[in-house]
Amino acid sequence: MTEMSGADMVVQALVDLGVDTVFGYPGGAVLPIYDALYKHPTIKHILVRHEQAATHAAEGYARSTGKPGVVLVTSGPGATNAVTGITDALLDSIPMVVLTGQVPTTLIGTDAFQECDTVGITRHCTKHNYLVMDPDRLGPIMHEAFYIATHGRPGPVVIDIPKNVQVATGTYRVPEKIEHQSYRPQVEPDADAIATAVAMIAAAERPVFYTGGGVINAGPDASAALRQLVALTGAPVTSTLMGLGAFPSDDGKWLGMLGMHGTYEANMAMNRADLIIAVGARFDDRVTGRLDAFSPDSKKIHIDIDRSSINKIVPVDLAIVGDAGRALDAIIAGWQDAGHKARDLGEWWRRVDGWRATRCLDFPEKKEAGADIMPQRAVKALFDATRGLDPIITTEVGQHQMWAAQHFGFSAPNRWLTSGGLGTMGYGFPASVGAQIAHPDRLVICIAGEASLQMNIQEMGTVSQYRLPVKIFILNNEWMGMVRQWQELTYESRYSNSYSDSLPDFVKLADAYGWTGLRIDNLGQLEDGIQKMIETPGPVIVDCRVAQLANCFPMIPSGAAHTEMLLQPSDVTGTMDDEAKALV
Amino acid sequence: MKIKTEAGERHVLAITVDNEAGVLAKITGLFTARGYNIESLTVADISSDHALSRITIVTNGPPPVIDQIIAQLERLVPVHKVVDLNDAGEAHVEREIALVKVAGTGEKRIEALRLADVFRAKVVDTTLTSFIFEITGNSDKVDRFIALMRECGLVEVGRTGVVAIARGPEAL
Ligand SMILES: Cc1ncc(C[n+]2csc(CCOP(=O)(O)OP(=O)(O)O)c2C)c(N)n1
Ligand SMILES: [Mg+2]
């Protein structure tokens, strides 16, 4: 217990909590904390160019390491600029602590310069938030905030610290052991439920594992447990967008991603299954398609750390509240104790192979060197060229994101960073900055759309400043492709405001920031261009021109069932009714 | 296209929370953000050290929605406990208080007083041309009394909202 200023306590707490990196941007209301950081060179502060980017960089750091991301911003506009990333972290369950400056307590409520009601604004986009009115509370609150951000279902926590609380002195206290009075997430699964799950899996004739981001959040051991359980039971596996990497894409049991742009085999298997084992996934509308037609004949087991995710959208037969890894371990133990052997699922696999035979991810393309590059081909080429390099891939939001999810294969968790729940354009590039900071020697590639990239393109300066070798690979179709695709399918190709007009020359832009810029114009240049990107030290931006009007298939149109997938452009007929138009 | 809504049932939830700034906003905000109904909400500090408050919410929704409301409330960091008093069936007591001001003279005034007597409402203020009645009971009884008073010169009503507690010796 030592007497120190609030600002020193903040920094001391960060040191005590093992924080090595803070993403931030200074301003009047956080100057005392910036001054304290100046004296503490052990904490690396990454100066972004916009506070939204600080939050996404922190997400990228968190998602690629499993550790919480930390953000420091000023009051008012600093805090409001951070709101998008905070919400993104809430929806994708990313552990994050955001420190915001606030006007002095004596000025709160007076519309003071750069005052905003940060706790009010962030109340519903954080897992929890605090306004610290007393420096003596700073120590306990900092430690509790990190506990809440990282325990149970992870999420963002905001600590709003008035400037006079940063300057005033108090006693820095470290709580011995954090045991929150009311917040006690259930981590250990219920033993009876586990036994029931084992019996249900053993009895199933057409089982499917449906896994999500919760498996990634539960740590690499959970991914290992998933692989073991799949090997023991012989059942197929699909995953949500957020769960990619938990199960290796080159394994024969892998069906690919499910949902709106998932594979035919994954969606058909979900539809025809007699047992679905959902692990750390939340039955999002992008996954289920039309609810009344979702997996009609299956029993459902749902493993989730968040009890409110269970029965929220799809009623399940067996709920298991707990950590995904522990639950999977417990099921494995139960399976082995009971002496179960994998059932003969031959008939089920024959049906799966039948669906696989549609080769739903195939796409039409011309093969000559001068041909337009199909965006899917570009992703496949990128995947092929980086096999063995264990890259970390981030994406922006749009068609390119879905093509990356479909055609890039992952064999380990924490290598796939994408904005799933909020679908935030502008996420991918700053996330790659955060991932590269955490892994300075790894190959980090942001697969971007030309429109999304422009939402946080100012971070090129951050990359230059910290000499980060980030690679941006733009699938440049000159359209907000995903919007254009929906307009084509839903609004008879009335392309209202979806053309990416007045694009910058990305190669010259690279030059302006001291990066390397490359352009790939046709199929003949694709492989060499990618190779050049990989071999070039330092940051590289690749403007890969792709076929402009390609659409992302397969696709379950909004309001349709898993069995009503559009597999290719010719499956699209007529226009949508209002009911379908009203769905997102 | 028309927007469809679903029929629901009435549930009374008793929630204990940390007595700190922002908790009520968090809870009411959760109801608005997720589109849940609030028919009535009462809140007061209930512990000797002022550390805990009890919130009673009357809500309405189909059973899966009620289950979601409870799960969503339980995951809020400052929430200690959520109890659905309907789970105890009829085994809970509900009360609310209304202050009902009625103005008038002659036959209406006499009728108001007579009805108040039937409902065991107390007269807490009187002038030559008005009464204020205090009525305590479950929401139905209060509703019925107020409806009758409309015929007898009702001018103003204030209601506390529902507080409720389970029967029997156990605590929540
Ligand atoms: C911040 C934000 N605004 C709007 C959208 C809606 N939106 C989804 S995809 C998309 C187009 C993305 O275009 P681009 O980045 O070029 O990717 P493409 O679909 O062409 O691959 C838009 C506008 C969004 N997801 N995020
Ligand atoms: Mg585009």
Side-chain angles (χ1 to χ4, degrees), chain A residues 385-410:
Chain A
T386 57
R387 265 180 219 264
L389 300 175
D390 196 17
I392 296 173
I393 302 295
T394 76
T395 77
E396 295 289 349
V397 170
Q399 290 179 319
H400 64 278
Q401 176 189 31
M402 292 301 120
W403 283 317
Q406 292 173 337
H407 296 281
F408 207 100
F410 295 91

Side-chain angles (χ1 to χ4, degrees), chain A residues 123-124 126-128 148 153 180-183 306-308 310-312 578-579 582, chain B residues 1 4 18 20 22 25-26 29-30 67-68 70-72 74-75 77-80:
Chain A
R123 187 164 287 134
H124 305 293
T126 51
K127 183 170 173 189
H128 195 47
I148 289 173
R153 180 173 179 178
H180 197 273
Q181 286 203 344
S182 50
Y183 186 67
D306 180 359
R307 177 339 225 160
S308 75
I310 296 173
N311 292 326
K312 179 172 71 175
D578 283 356
E579 307 281 341
Chain B
M1 193 190 86
K4 299 179 190 99
D18 285 328
E20 56 185 37
K26 216 170 163 66
L30 179 129
D67 188 53
Q68 252 307 292
I70 294 168
Q72 292 292 348
E74 280 173 345
R75 75 205 270 261
V77 172
V79 169
H80 290 244

Side-chain angles (χ1 to χ4, degrees), chain A residues 449-451 475 477-481 500:
Chain A
E450 81 295 333
L475 293 184
N477 54 8
E478 280 184 34
W479 287 90
M480 296 174 199
S500 286

Side-chain angles (χ1 to χ4, degrees), chain A residues 391-392 394 432-433 435-436 439 442-446 469-472:
Chain A
I392 296 173
T394 76
S432 71
V433 172
Q436 188 80 75
H439 307 276
R442 291 271 290 279
L443 176 61
V444 179
I445 305 173
C446 169
V470 166
K471 318 293 181 203
I472 301 181

Side-chain angles (χ1 to χ4, degrees), chain A residues 266-287:
Chain A
N267 287 327
M268 287 305 290
M270 289 293 281
N271 184 267
R272 302 286 196 253
D274 70 349
L275 179 70
I276 284 173
I277 309 119
V279 192
R282 59 185 177 87
F283 297 87
D284 179 77
D285 53 81
R286 284 295 179 272
V287 158

